[in-house]
Amino acid sequence: MIESREELRKIIQQKCYKKGDFTLSSGQKSEHYINLKPVTLRCAGLEIISILMLAMVDKECAAVAGLTLGADPLVSGTALIGTLHERPLDALIVRKKAKGHGTGAWIEGPELPKGSKITVLEDVITTGGSSIEAVKRLRDAGYIVERVVAIVDRQVSGEADINMAAAHLEMFSLYDLSEIANGL
């Protein structure tokens, strides 16, 4: 059982962080690589992450959502923890491409009333592009999205902050890259 933010940070350092020469999904080069799935797909890790993320979710939200695949466990875990703590939330998954059959849906999960407030969850933010893509789809569906919560903000020249501000979003993270990379 992972019981604290500090303990989770150490596990992320050990299991999810690598230093080397990497190309990120944004296309940028970096000496830092973080793959959080070894922790987010482990129940003990997901539990503490979900508790910490829930504390950053806007209190007026009806749901949490995120772009598949990195956000899938986060939205499910955070919605479950919310419900267990008498703060019911639904979970929505935003596809990278519209469903190729049936209704051609971009969003999976319960249909919420237009104007419902949603917080987007993300594993790692570099430029904010994935989160902003999810936000666009959710806003196109009639939802209100004002906040993005990530596990790690890579702090790339303030790029994510600039992009989030341009999209009228506030961004929160459990950790900055410096908290993960330092002390190793």
Side-chain angles (χ1 to χ4, degrees), residues 57-63 87 89 116-118 146:
V57 170
D58 190 315
K59 301 279 188 225
E60 298 169 6
C61 281
R87 188 169 167 212
L89 291 168
S116 293
K117 203 167 192 180
I118 295 172
E146 300 171 332

Side-chain angles (χ1 to χ4, degrees), residues 65-76:
L67 193 67
T68 197
L69 174 77
D72 293 1
L74 305 178
V75 300
S76 298

Side-chain angles (χ1 to χ4, degrees), residues 31-87:
E31 67 176 327
H32 305 283
Y33 181 72
I34 302 173
N35 174 12
L36 289 166
K37 289 166 195 69
V39 174
T40 63
L41 294 172
R42 183 172 168 238
C43 292
L46 182 58
E47 179 183 25
I48 189 71
I49 288 167
S50 297
I51 290 167
L52 294 170
M53 288 188 118
L54 179 64
M56 295 181 173
V57 170
D58 190 315
K59 301 279 188 225
E60 298 169 6
C61 281
V64 288
L67 193 67
T68 197
L69 174 77
D72 293 1
L74 305 178
V75 300
S76 298
T78 302
L80 177 61
I81 291 294
T83 298
L84 291 174
H85 290 94
E86 298 183 18
R87 188 169 167 212

